[in-house]
Amino acid sequence: MIPISKPLIGEAEKKGVLEVLESGMLAQGPRVRRLEERFAQVCGTRYAVATSSGTTALHIALLAHGIGPGDEVITTPFTFIATVNSILFVGAKPVFVDIEEETFNINPALIEAAVTPRTRAIIPVHLYGHPCEMDAVMEIARRHDLIVIEDAAQAVGATYKGRPVGSFGTGCFSLYATKNVMSGEGGMITTDDEALAERGRMLRNHGMRRRYHYEFLGYNFRMSDLHAAIGLAQMDRLEEFTARRRKNAAYLSAHITGVITPRVREGCEHVWHQYTVRVGSGRDRDAAVRRLNEAGVGTGIFYPLPAHRYDYIRAVVGDVHLPVAERLAREVLSLPVHPGLSQADLERIVEAVNRL
Ligand SMILES: *Cc1c(COP(=O)(O)O)cnc(C)c1O
């Protein structure tokens, strides 16, 4: 079976981990700092703060911005659940805005109608590695004095009009094992705001600036140097990985027929965390998945249910109807696009899809 994702682990990752083991210093240390510097470079931000996961990056970013009970945060329902859970962790209320059919991202034309006096922030998600319409999002945020926290967990290296994602608002990234660059588990916050970066560093470490001097309630959301060693080796290959994903996506789009292939909006550099087709409305996606899997092609459904349809979230937001997200959740099907694919793999994927 051609897997839907597969981390590429080379000698550099192994050597990096061994060096940390041999140093005897496993916890957060110099490699975490170096990984932070690399992320800040890639994102063009002054600061980056490493965390234990993408989820804790979002959680800390919300806390560092002072978002909490009574506040509303506008986001997309068509995302990995961590986006929404982080809003719930801080006691705020998610407010869902429907998505664009073309990019699967939050529809900026619908955001303003969702703004209330309680709205504090917008979390756009650069889903599958395709940047959101950031000009429109930032303009709405400016007009209503809202914080923007970008969920860029799937989009390291993506750019919108030449500018890296994670540099428009406060950026949150994931280094989970299946993401475009990974450290096993890990996350990163990017920002130009020195005070915010400092609050982030304290929140990830028990609210501590000076040793055993706790200034507020914090957490243990640190990254270890073991993880950072893997992440550093991966960052060396980010451009190569992204180029291979782009090449794979271009091949699939040039040869796949019979399903709706993904589009890239002008001005956006997509990094293809996922290559997601739509089977079309009324067609049996489950059957398509079965047949692809039988032909040895791994698939993923990201995501089978929009966030507002889960019971524990419905209990908070009530019954809302978001027709585009609900329809696309029934139609989407992701195919392997990762940098480990061979030409034979690509041909096998195309053949299996075109036979559906
Ligand atoms: C992976 C992901 C996260 C969470 O990252 P973890 O490192 O798994 O905690 C958040 N948002 C999106 C869109 C993601 O894909």
Side-chain angles (χ1 to χ4, degrees):
M1 177 86 87
I2 304 167
I4 180 70
S5 70
K6 181 178 154 197
L8 288 188
I9 298 159
E11 287 310 310
E13 283 82 352
K14 294 177 194 166
K15 188 161 160 283
V17 168
L18 275 176
E19 276 171 14
V20 176
L21 288 175
E22 281 160 7
S23 79
M25 311 278 271
L26 276 52
Q28 180 180 295
R31 285 170 185 80
V32 170
R33 275 196 299 282
R34 259 166 49 211
L35 185 60
E36 291 173 336
E37 285 161 17
R38 293 294 299 276
F39 252 84
Q41 257 166 32
V42 164
C43 296
T45 58
R46 290 176 61 198
Y47 307 99
V49 178
T51 61
S52 53
S53 72
T55 306
T56 54
L58 286 160
H59 188 170
I60 287 181
L62 284 158
L63 288 172
H65 277 292
I67 294 166
D71 296 334
E72 292 178 357
V73 178
I74 292 174
T75 193
T76 167
F78 201 55
T79 181
F80 180 59
I81 204 65
T83 316
V84 183
N85 285 352
S86 66
I87 299 169
L88 297 174
F89 292 157
V90 302
K93 183 185 169 190
V95 173
F96 295 114
V97 164
D98 211 353
I99 58 172
E100 299 178 318
E101 184 151 344
E102 188 187 345
T103 64
F104 306 98
N105 285 332
I106 192 165
N107 186 341
L110 304 176
I111 292 177
E112 211 145 26
V115 174
T116 76
R118 291 175 178 272
T119 309
R120 288 284 314 283
I122 310 174
I123 306 186
V125 180
H126 307 298
L127 198 72
Y128 305 146
H130 190 300
C132 294
E133 261 318 309
M134 290 313 292
D135 278 352
V137 171
M138 297 311 289
E139 172 55 25
I140 294 162
R142 194 193 56 75
R143 218 161 29 229
H144 297 275
D145 195 22
L146 304 176
I147 293 151
V148 174
I149 296 172
E150 300 174 68
D151 184 339
Q154 304 186 357
V156 61
T159 62
Y160 174 82
K161 297 190 177 170
R163 185 170 160 183
V165 301
S167 71
F168 292 86
T170 302
C172 292
F173 293 86
S174 167
L175 289 134
Y176 179 65
T178 63
K179 300 285 157 85
N180 286 24
V181 293
M182 63 93 198
S183 60
E185 295 273 10
M188 195 68 70
I189 302 167
T190 52
T191 180
D192 283 332
D193 181 336
E194 187 175 2
L196 188 88
E198 179 65 5
R199 263 198 308 284
R201 283 184 215 110
M202 292 172 73
L203 279 162
R204 81 174 163 192
N205 194 22
H206 297 292
M208 189 166 86
R209 195 175 347 232
R210 246 179 335 114
R211 191 178 287 268
Y212 306 131
H213 184 78
Y214 313 107
E215 299 180 30
F216 49 75
L217 179 67
Y219 298 80
N220 173 2
F221 287 163
R222 296 181 306 261
M223 180 186 281
S224 78
D225 255 25
L226 271 175
H227 291 91
I230 301 171
L232 278 167
Q234 293 266 302
M235 287 302 275
D236 285 340
R237 298 181 70 185
L238 173 59
E239 278 180 33
E240 173 205 340
F241 286 169
T242 303
R244 281 160 80 170
R245 285 180 181 273
R246 288 208 174 109
K247 201 160 145 266
N248 293 343
Y251 183 89
L252 294 174
S253 288
H255 294 89
I256 281 176
T257 57
V259 295
I260 304 166
T261 52
R263 297 190 40 196
V264 183
R265 183 159 296 160
E266 204 177 316
C268 293
E269 287 278 4
H270 196 324
V271 292
W272 300 103
H273 173 61
Q274 297 296 347
Y275 183 91
T276 302
V277 302
R278 292 165 52 200
V279 296
S281 61
R283 274 178 74 189
D284 186 348
R285 179 183 56 193
D286 294 346
V289 166
R290 230 170 12 250
R291 288 178 57 194
L292 289 171
N293 295 167
E294 277 162 18
V297 175
T299 52
I301 306 297
F302 309 112
Y303 294 88
L305 209 57
H308 63 286
R309 299 286 302 277
Y310 291 93
D311 286 341
Y312 75 99
I313 293 171
R314 187 160 34 197
V316 177
V317 302
D319 277 317
V320 286
H321 184 44
L322 301 159
V324 182
E326 285 161 25
R327 179 162 50 80
L328 294 186
R330 290 191 296 268
E331 290 185 29
V332 290
L333 191 167
S334 297
L335 300 168
V337 73
H338 56 80
L341 296 176
S342 66
Q343 181 60 28
D345 292 335
L346 287 165
E347 286 167 16
R348 192 150 128 221
I349 295 163
V350 167
E351 197 184 306
V353 173
N354 292 355
R355 237 188 290 124
L356 286 175

